[in-house]
Amino acid sequence: QFILARQMQAAHEYARQKHVILKGDIPIGVNRHGCDVWQEPRYFNLNGQAGAPPDPFSAKGQNWGFPTYNWDAMIADGCRWWVRRFQNMQKYFDAYRIDHVLGFFRIWEIPVESVHGLLGQFQPSLGFTRAEIESYGLMFREDFFCRPYITEEVLSQMFGDRAEQIAHTYFEPFQGPYLRFQKEYDTQCKIKEKVEDADLREALYSLVSDVLFLRDHKRPDLYHPRISVQYDYIYHQLSEADKAAFNRLYDDYFYHRNTHFWYREAMKKLPRLIEATRMLVCAEDLGMVPDCVPWVINDLKILSLELQSMPKQQGLEFGIVEQYPYRSVCTIDSHDMPTLRMWWDEDLERAAHYYHNVLHRRDEAPHPMPAWLARDVIERNLMSPSMLCILSLQDWLAIDETIRLADANAERINIPANPHHYWRYRMHVNIEELLSNQRFCDDIMGMIHMNR
């Protein structure tokens, strides 16, 4: 670490001499076995895991495994741990991106005995009391709503001829027609440890998470609706009236109830951290973004992140690059997403919509993506009004078919839903080779000068 620190400081000083700005990254989480947690455990909740709720990239949510923060302890001493962290970053960078800025509003906290993210809940958040749940017209039944919904009929639908054997091996009678997991299989982590068959393991995971409500991790008298439960067996056992009541409660919880509460939570933390350094602050504000996030970003003059494939305006299939706010970072993809070339071949129908409706071309969309088309997309992003346009190396290389990788799939950095596919990508050309390729360097320089 000492050698790395010296190298990074030297690189920073050299870059500044050349009028080059270096932008760093502040990850939202730290490893539960790392020195931060070991040295100051009071700042962390080790009985929880940080992650993300389900999204188009991961139907079961993401479980990052990081401990969540004890914000009460952090705020009590002026967020000193975060201030030190940001001030240390200033040695190496002139700007920084707050990874998953939503974590300063609320984090998706998953129990330590869970594997996927469906059993998570936002912390902090305003859970429902029993009386509040019933005020929506849903008669609360804790023994039914908070336990996995498992019956012989469910097992028969899931496992067919294997249902009886599965029931005997993993379950036991509970109340009336219901079954429950045997103690040695009653959490996802126990199932992961004991069940070798991957398909069976996933099926049992889904039964563990088949609950309508989750108890609050801190206050057992409060409850949270389980995210995406509308796809599960327990939801389909409700009457139509109960489904309607639950859906009203669900929409209120995820999209309205916590909005002002989360605004206040973020404003307890972020102003102190932004004032700790003179670095330019950028935010990764993608995902399930509550309405209060733009309020805070505008109040604190933080740069947002804008991707055309993930528009923030409702009703748009693609963002309008020409309308990006000045205080923003324009990009095409992030380290957790497919590169431009990969995205182009991922959904041919959506790519065709983009080709005809955004690029306004009349011929058939070509596949795989040719270099001239990658150049067209990049030039349009360079022309955005955003303060910064930062593109991945893979996307820059896409404009030259003599340099880019033959296999676009080898460009992927992270697959968030796959814990075994993190930071795989390595440059296939070194910096000296790129510097010596005068035609490629002149090409990029010309694009930047023409569109700045």
Side-chain angles (χ1 to χ4, degrees):
Q1 287 182 340
F2 172 73
I3 294 170
L4 176 62
R6 291 185 63 184
Q7 290 176 338
M8 290 180 67
Q9 281 186 279
H12 186 207
E13 291 168 7
Y14 179 80
R16 295 190 76 171
Q17 291 170 12
K18 301 295 182 181
H19 307 290
V20 172
I21 298 299
L22 298 185
K23 177 168 173 269
D25 193 78
I26 297 277
I28 188 60
V30 297
N31 193 295
R32 67 175 54 244
H33 304 297
C35 61
D36 297 273
V37 178
W38 173 68
Q39 188 172 358
E40 299 178 284
R42 68 185 182 279
Y43 290 140
F44 304 92
N45 296 320
L46 295 175
N47 59 348
Q49 307 175 88
D55 60 27
F57 305 106
S58 179
K60 295 181 180 178
Q62 300 171 34
N63 184 350
W64 304 327
F66 307 138
T68 56
Y69 294 111
N70 179 358
W71 281 112
D72 292 338
M74 287 183 160
I75 292 170
D77 68 8
C79 295
R80 284 192 305 170
W81 183 87
W82 281 100
V83 168
R84 293 199 307 268
R85 194 178 188 197
F86 278 49
Q87 289 177 341
N88 194 59
M89 288 280 288
Q90 192 170 221
K91 298 175 185 176
Y92 316 118
F93 302 106
D94 309 288
Y96 63 89
R97 184 194 81 142
I98 304 176
D99 171 55
H100 195 66
V101 73
L102 299 177
F104 291 90
F105 295 74
R106 80 292 187 272
I107 200 74
W108 190 247
E109 188 176 74
I110 304 162
V112 287
E113 64 269 15
S114 293
V115 174
H116 61 50
L118 289 179
L119 289 172
Q121 58 187 242
F122 288 126
Q123 286 291 347
S125 64
L126 303 173
F128 290 104
T129 65
R130 185 188 195 106
E132 284 180 307
I133 292 172
E134 294 187 346
S135 72
Y136 285 84
L138 182 66
M139 187 58 61
F140 189 73
R141 294 171 285 165
E142 183 175 334
D143 59 337
F144 176 64
F145 289 163
C146 298
R147 293 182 182 275
Y149 181 80
I150 307 165
T151 65
E152 291 182 358
E153 181 182 0
V154 167
L155 297 184
S156 180
Q157 291 181 37
M158 292 184 68
F159 301 108
D161 295 339
R162 301 172 60 199
E164 187 174 343
Q165 180 256 325
I166 296 288
H168 176 75
T169 306
Y170 301 104
F171 301 94
E172 61 188 20
F174 180 47
Q175 294 175 351
Y178 302 113
L179 304 173
R180 67 181 176 188
F181 279 96
Q182 296 177 22
K183 191 170 184 179
E184 57 266 40
Y185 300 105
D186 62 359
T187 71
Q188 291 179 345
C189 282
K190 291 179 182 179
I191 292 168
K192 180 181 180 180
E193 181 182 342
K194 296 176 182 294
V195 180
E196 295 183 3
D197 185 311
D199 291 337
L200 174 59
R201 198 163 56 230
E202 287 297 324
L204 295 176
Y205 287 167
S206 69
L207 286 172
V208 172
S209 62
D210 194 358
V211 296
L212 203 65
F213 285 94
L214 304 164
R215 283 184 179 275
D216 188 272
H217 293 165
K218 295 181 178 179
R219 288 187 52 183
D221 60 323
L222 298 179
Y223 302 88
H224 304 261
R226 208 219 77 195
I227 198 164
S228 299
V229 73
Q230 290 88 343
Y231 300 103
D232 285 6
Y233 289 104
I234 191 167
Y235 175 81
H236 292 291
Q237 303 311 307
L238 301 176
S239 68
E240 292 305 313
D242 283 350
K243 287 178 182 176
F246 178 80
N247 289 339
R248 287 195 300 272
L249 176 150
Y250 183 95
D251 290 342
D252 186 17
Y253 175 82
F254 284 108
Y255 302 107
H256 306 291
R257 179 180 177 85
N258 290 285
T259 300
H260 292 277
F261 173 70
W262 286 334
Y263 173 85
R264 293 191 296 271
E265 288 297 309
M267 294 300 284
K268 292 177 185 177
K269 308 157 191 170
L270 285 172
R272 303 183 189 192
L273 309 185
I274 290 168
E275 293 165 3
T277 74
R278 297 184 63 187
M279 291 188 288
L280 179 68
V281 187
C282 312
E284 183 267 298
D285 55 338
L286 306 176
M288 194 175 181
V289 180
D291 291 342
C292 57
V293 172
W295 306 346
V296 173
I297 285 178
N298 289 331
D299 287 352
L300 301 180
K301 308 295 189 290
I302 299 173
L303 274 63
S304 63
L305 184 61
E306 305 294 333
L307 280 78
Q308 196 169 23
S309 61
M310 297 180 67
K312 292 174 179 172
Q313 305 97 315
Q314 288 187 349
L316 290 182
E317 184 177 13
F318 300 105
I320 303 173
V321 171
E322 297 81 7
Q323 296 180 5
Y324 286 174
Y326 173 68
R327 280 201 305 267
S328 69
V329 177
C330 167
T331 192
I332 294 173
D333 44 64
S334 78
H335 58 284
D336 285 331
M337 298 169 61
T339 61
L340 175 60
R341 292 169 65 204
M342 291 179 67
W343 174 83
W344 188 250
D345 290 327
E346 199 173 54
D347 185 334
L348 300 188
E349 185 177 349
R350 191 163 189 239
H353 287 179
Y354 182 85
Y355 190 73
H356 297 133
N357 300 327
V358 177
L359 302 183
H360 304 294
R361 295 184 178 273
R362 296 185 178 181
D363 56 319
E364 186 175 344
H367 291 277
M369 175 176 267
W372 63 263
L373 182 55
R375 172 192 292 273
D376 188 4
V377 175
I378 286 175
E379 286 182 335
R380 290 168 188 263
N381 279 268
L382 289 174
M383 287 190 288
S384 77
S386 299
M387 182 188 295
L388 299 175
C389 179
I390 302 178
L391 308 179
S392 70
L393 175 72
Q394 297 95 312
D395 291 347
W396 280 116
L397 296 179
I399 69 172
D400 192 320
E401 294 182 12
T402 67
I403 301 178
R404 69 188 194 180
L405 280 168
D407 179 13
N409 292 319
E411 295 180 341
R412 185 73 186 252
I413 297 176
N414 288 345
I415 300 178
N418 182 355
H420 305 294
H421 197 298
Y422 286 164
W423 306 108
R424 289 278 188 87
Y425 176 76
R426 297 292 181 270
M427 287 174 61
H428 64 287
V429 291
N430 60 39
I431 292 174
E432 288 76 17
E433 288 175 304
L434 288 176
L435 279 172
S436 66
N437 192 327
Q438 196 62 47
R439 180 179 56 80
F440 180 68
C441 293
D442 289 345
D443 202 9
I444 290 180
M445 190 179 299
M447 291 172 66
I448 292 173
H449 281 294
M450 183 174 64
N451 296 293
R452 67 181 179 179

